[in-house]
Amino acid sequence: MKSHNVEAKVHKELPFGYRVKVSILDLGLYINGMVVFTPNEEHDYWTVKPPAMRAGRGKYVYITEFDKKLPLWEEIFDACVDAVKLDQSYHKDVVITDFDEDTPITLDDIPF
């Protein structure tokens, strides 16, 4: 059971991940700039990072920090990953390979 009303939405796709805005509605808290990295060749897990700013000499400091042992972080993490998965599903091309070339394709033929 969730302890907070957490929503997330992809703000923009980055070359290396996704920028996500998190809304914790019951607290009136909005966090813009979460970065989500999808699994890839280097690692097989999802990564969610809070917003950070450059502190100099290639070092960054987090603007917002979370106790990752508490339920709020898990809810934020899950909402961010779900938002990216949903965004990725919007960009998938559907290719129909099993069809009769002499018959027109209808919307019923396309898997959604």
Side-chain angles (χ1 to χ4, degrees), residues 31-35 49-53 61-64 66:
I31 306 165
N32 198 8
M34 301 290 285
V35 178
K49 302 252 182 191
M53 60 185 252
V61 293
Y62 292 118
I63 298 168
T64 307
F66 298 91

Side-chain angles (χ1 to χ4, degrees), residues 88-101:
Q88 288 176 330
S89 74
Y90 293 149
H91 302 292
K92 287 187 179 179
D93 291 333
V94 175
V95 178
I96 301 172
T97 57
D98 185 25
F99 65 93
D100 182 6
E101 293 180 19

Side-chain angles (χ1 to χ4, degrees), residues 69-84:
K69 297 175 186 170
L70 295 177
L72 177 59
W73 174 252
E74 184 178 343
E75 292 177 30
I76 290 171
F77 184 96
D78 291 345
C80 288
V81 169
D82 290 346
V84 170

Side-chain angles (χ1 to χ4, degrees), residues 7-12 19-23 32 79-80 83-84:
E7 292 181 1
K9 182 178 180 184
V10 171
H11 174 67
K12 107 185 204 184
R19 184 170 309 281
V20 175
K21 180 177 183 178
V22 173
S23 302
N32 198 8
C80 288
V84 170

